[in-house]
Amino acid sequence: MALYKVEICGVNTSKLPLLTTQEKAELFDKIRQGDKEARELYIKGNLRLVLSIIQRFSGSNENVDDLFQIGCIGLMKAIDNFDISQGVKFSTYAVPMIIGEIRRYLRDNNAIRVSRSLRDTAYKAIYAKEALMKQTNKEPSVEEIAKEIGISAEEIVGALDAIQSPVSLYEPVYSEGGDTLYIMDQVSDKKSKEENWVEEISLKEAMARLSPRENNIINLRFFQGKTQMEVAEEIHISQAQVSRLEKSALKCMKNYLKEK
């Protein structure tokens, strides 16, 4: 895999911009306000990060252009899901997501070989979608993407399905203080909220054994269906601390209920 090449996917890697910390912060504020141009600049300003990561896969037989494109998809996902209020550097958050995207691609590509033409169609559709979103400030339909690149909607759907891979809820997002935070920790428990499953087991006595902070966290997480990130913001501690306290509280409650 030739990582020495200057141009990857039409991008001159020797001329990629370098963003200062202040520029990154200013761009991210604009991104959160829906500024598509700022998002594009932020992506370009972090392409060097993608390049540094794909070098870890230099032993792979995959085409460097393909790995770069997959890494860019991981980068865009990281940008769209990053929460600047958590006090975590963007690179700390983005690196595992980019690596995970590439690993899933390598795993799935080895198991089921997707044709180059099918992958090219999918990538064209992804980039066309990004361009249309930048122009119209709204997510385009499959038909609009098809018209933009001159490929039928059916072909686009098939191509996108072919390169799609499931994301495990246990996929690590980032680590803080030795505690790994997973995707499942950032997903609201709507089922718990709607069905109130915790009320069906004798929970009142178990929760009475918890500290006030643990009791509050369990209430916010399982009665109000909030994510760990939302809980952390509300009670002014880190998400890692919420994760530790939640696990400790659930273990305490589980042990109590077993003894009943």
Side-chain angles (χ1 to χ4, degrees), residues 5-17:
K5 61 191 294 183
V6 174
E7 189 168 293
I8 298 179
C9 297
V11 177
N12 189 328
T13 59
S14 66
K15 296 182 179 180
L16 289 175

Side-chain angles (χ1 to χ4, degrees), residues 21 44 54 87 152 159 254:
T21 302
K44 290 179 179 178
I54 64 175
S152 72
K254 183 178 179 181

Side-chain angles (χ1 to χ4, degrees), residues 89-120:
K89 287 178 63 177
F90 175 74
S91 58
T92 303
Y93 179 85
V95 166
M97 293 197 75
I98 296 170
I99 292 175
E101 198 72 30
I102 293 173
R103 283 178 175 166
R104 281 192 296 275
Y105 166 78
L106 293 175
R107 179 196 64 207
D108 296 342
N109 203 40
N110 285 333
I112 303 174
R113 180 64 64 172
V114 179
S115 71
R116 182 62 184 267
S117 62
L118 205 57
R119 280 182 282 152
D120 285 346

Side-chain angles (χ1 to χ4, degrees), residues 34 47 51 56 72 80 87 103 118 125 141 144 150 196 224 232 246:
L47 290 180
L51 285 174
R56 302 184 188 188
C72 288
D80 292 339
R103 283 178 175 166
L118 205 57
S141 65
E144 289 172 328
N196 293 319
Q224 298 185 35
E246 179 184 315

Side-chain angles (χ1 to χ4, degrees), residues 108-241:
D108 296 342
N109 203 40
N110 285 333
I112 303 174
R113 180 64 64 172
V114 179
S115 71
R116 182 62 184 267
S117 62
L118 205 57
R119 280 182 282 152
D120 285 346
T121 297
Y123 296 145
K124 285 179 183 178
I126 291 170
Y127 291 129
K129 177 181 176 181
E130 291 293 319
L132 288 170
M133 286 179 68
K134 182 179 178 181
Q135 294 171 15
T136 63
N137 289 322
K138 68 182 183 68
E139 187 166 345
S141 65
V142 176
E143 289 73 19
E144 289 172 328
I145 296 173
K147 183 179 180 180
E148 178 72 15
I149 61 178
I151 299 175
S152 72
E154 291 76 14
E155 288 180 272
I156 290 174
V157 172
L160 292 175
D161 284 343
I163 67 166
Q164 198 65 252
S165 61
V167 178
S168 170
L169 288 175
Y170 292 93
E171 185 77 31
V173 177
Y174 62 87
S175 295
E176 181 181 329
D179 290 297
T180 302
L181 301 177
Y182 300 92
I183 288 177
M184 68 178 297
D185 294 328
Q186 302 189 38
V187 178
S188 294
D189 192 350
K190 300 301 184 183
K191 183 177 180 181
S192 297
K193 181 180 178 182
E194 292 166 2
E195 298 180 3
N196 293 319
W197 64 269
V198 286
E199 293 183 354
E200 296 178 6
I201 59 178
S202 188
L203 202 63
K204 189 174 182 180
E205 297 85 353
M207 290 186 68
R209 292 175 171 264
L210 303 177
S211 68
R213 173 175 277 184
E214 289 175 331
N215 195 303
N216 188 29
I217 288 173
I218 294 300
N219 177 58
L220 292 171
R221 282 280 287 147
F222 298 103
F223 283 98
Q224 298 185 35
K226 295 189 176 182
T227 67
Q228 286 189 350
M229 191 173 292
E230 290 170 335
V231 174
E233 185 176 350
E234 182 165 331
I235 65 178
H236 308 296
I237 61 175
S238 71
Q239 186 175 353
Q241 287 177 291

